[in-house]
Amino acid sequence: MDNIKVRQATHANSWYSGDKKELDEELNSYLSKAKKENIQNIKAIIGPHAGYAYSGPTAGWAYQYLNEQKKRVFLLGPCHKLYLRTVGLSKLDQYATPLGNITLDQEVIQKLAQELGKLAVFTKQADEEDEHSLELHLPFIYKAFPNAKLVPIMVGSTDPQLEEKVAQVLVQYFDNPENIFVISSDFCHWGKRFGYTPYDKDKNLQIHEQIQNMDQEGVKLIENHNIADFYKYLETTDNTICGRHPICVLLQILQKTTLKLTTKLVKYAQSNAVTNPKDSSVSYASIVTYIQ
């Protein structure tokens, strides 16, 4: 047992509480405050990955629906520091959270590696520990599915052709009722510090209202499973959706699945309602995909 390779919770005690009891209470608060609709049979969610003080309440709106036990969670997130042109798989045995460790499904990961071939690489532990987009979902996942195994996938700067090929491999796992997919993404990063400040003064709208309108345009395309127009939207607006590539993999899967699915935005928020061009904000969305 001494040879177990564990990804440490490197962002605990900074991005979220590292104390088990405190973190559990915090998650309970996010989950209980989210208003619930009659939505069941969840197949996938899209949720944010900022520090919990900012995005935890929004994430709770998606995770509140994950009450049916699953055997396996596929977690797809973007790379903020590691540069990849493919997807990245993990050789580790467990991912740590302050609530408890999550076991990786290495049997499935090795099978995936064979099926993906040159579309995937194995990432280094240091690179996995450096990346926050997957880690910020782990406590929520552990709380929802304490006995589930994890298949983490880091999605690099992939092109539409590669995303389509990855989806072709993943759709069989998506269709399996034992599995659920979690996609990690924030939405618009607006401000000089992000190098993204589009604003049309002639529209007679506040900056934060224009940001919301732009985000909602993208969300609507996700809800409609419209991958072709979502690619065009990203090209036209250049909206700084950091998880655009994992989202596109999901949208490609939704083109291929035989399941009858509905996708719906359940919560949208911004870290700050920008009115001054010197300010900045990050947008967060919780989106659920469920079987009709």
Side-chain angles (χ1 to χ4, degrees), residues 224-237:
N224 293 336
H225 304 169
N226 190 338
I227 181 71
D229 284 350
F230 190 68
Y231 281 128
K232 291 176 189 173
Y233 160 84
L234 291 173
E235 197 172 323
T236 303
T237 65

Side-chain angles (χ1 to χ4, degrees), residues 89 108-118 120 122 169:
L89 302 175
V108 166
I109 292 170
Q110 296 302 324
K111 185 167 178 280
L112 258 183
Q114 289 185 330
E115 292 167 339
L116 289 167
K118 292 180 180 179
F122 279 101
V169 172

Side-chain angles (χ1 to χ4, degrees), residues 55-88:
S55 70
T58 301
W61 284 72
Y63 276 98
Q64 65 171 330
Y65 292 108
L66 306 190
N67 46 27
E68 180 189 347
Q69 285 308 302
K70 298 290 181 181
K71 185 176 180 180
R72 202 174 289 107
V73 179
F74 284 72
L75 173 59
L76 283 68
C79 303
H80 287 85
K81 297 181 181 178
L82 177 67
Y83 184 72
L84 283 179
R85 294 304 300 267
T86 59
V87 299

Side-chain angles (χ1 to χ4, degrees), residues 17-276:
S17 174
D19 180 84
K20 181 176 181 178
K21 184 172 181 292
E22 193 175 288
L23 177 60
D24 191 54
E25 288 174 354
E26 194 175 344
L27 295 177
N28 284 336
S29 172
Y30 299 147
L31 294 164
S32 64
K33 287 177 182 174
K35 291 177 182 163
K36 199 165 192 174
E37 301 174 54
N38 186 23
I39 299 174
Q40 298 174 343
N41 301 316
I42 302 287
K43 275 308 305 179
I45 65 169
I46 299 172
H49 55 236
Y52 282 2
Y54 297 100
S55 70
T58 301
W61 284 72
Y63 276 98
Q64 65 171 330
Y65 292 108
L66 306 190
N67 46 27
E68 180 189 347
Q69 285 308 302
K70 298 290 181 181
K71 185 176 180 180
R72 202 174 289 107
V73 179
F74 284 72
L75 173 59
L76 283 68
C79 303
H80 287 85
K81 297 181 181 178
L82 177 67
Y83 184 72
L84 283 179
R85 294 304 300 267
T86 59
V87 299
L89 302 175
S90 178
K91 288 184 176 179
L92 303 181
D93 300 304
Q94 295 179 355
Y95 274 14
T97 86
L99 303 179
N101 289 7
I102 304 174
T103 300
L104 273 61
D105 195 329
Q106 276 301 335
E107 187 178 336
V108 166
I109 292 170
Q110 296 302 324
K111 185 167 178 280
L112 258 183
Q114 289 185 330
E115 292 167 339
L116 289 167
K118 292 180 180 179
L119 304 176
V121 296
F122 279 101
T123 47
K124 297 176 182 176
Q125 179 168 349
D127 290 326
E128 292 175 49
E129 290 182 337
D130 219 16
E131 179 54 59
H132 66 272
S133 74
L134 302 185
E135 180 179 339
L136 272 288
H137 281 269
L138 298 177
F140 278 105
I141 289 171
Y142 184 90
K143 190 162 179 63
F145 310 116
N147 300 312
K149 289 188 176 181
L150 185 72
V151 179
I153 302 175
M154 291 171 67
V155 183
S157 298
T158 47
D159 60 37
Q161 291 74 28
L162 188 141
E163 287 159 5
E164 193 272 334
K165 289 175 182 174
V166 170
Q168 190 71 54
V169 172
L170 289 178
V171 67
Q172 61 182 312
Y173 299 97
F174 185 86
D175 288 348
N176 184 338
E178 294 181 325
N179 299 336
I180 192 163
F181 276 58
V182 173
I183 311 299
S184 177
S185 184
D186 296 334
F187 275 72
C188 182
H189 298 62
W190 196 97
K192 288 183 180 177
R193 68 190 181 105
F194 300 117
Y196 188 73
T197 54
Y199 175 52
D200 186 347
K201 293 178 181 176
D202 296 333
K203 286 188 176 176
N204 200 27
L205 291 171
Q206 293 282 5
I207 296 172
H208 67 87
E209 293 172 316
Q210 291 191 26
I211 293 170
Q212 180 166 353
N213 288 345
M214 180 176 60
D215 280 334
Q216 297 283 15
E217 184 186 346
V219 167
K220 186 57 67 178
L221 294 170
I222 294 169
E223 288 181 319
N224 293 336
H225 304 169
N226 190 338
I227 181 71
D229 284 350
F230 190 68
Y231 281 128
K232 291 176 189 173
Y233 160 84
L234 291 173
E235 197 172 323
T236 303
T237 65
D238 203 25
N239 192 359
T240 44
I241 301 172
C242 55
R244 57 171 64 190
H245 296 295
I247 290 172
C248 287
V249 171
L250 175 64
L251 288 175
Q252 292 279 12
I253 290 171
L254 297 180
Q255 300 299 305
K256 301 174 185 305
T257 181
T258 55
L259 300 172
K260 301 298 180 190
L261 299 164
T262 297
T263 297
K264 183 176 183 180
L265 173 74
V266 291
K267 183 64 175 177
Y268 175 82
Q270 295 173 350
S271 63
N272 177 39
V274 175
T275 56
N276 187 321

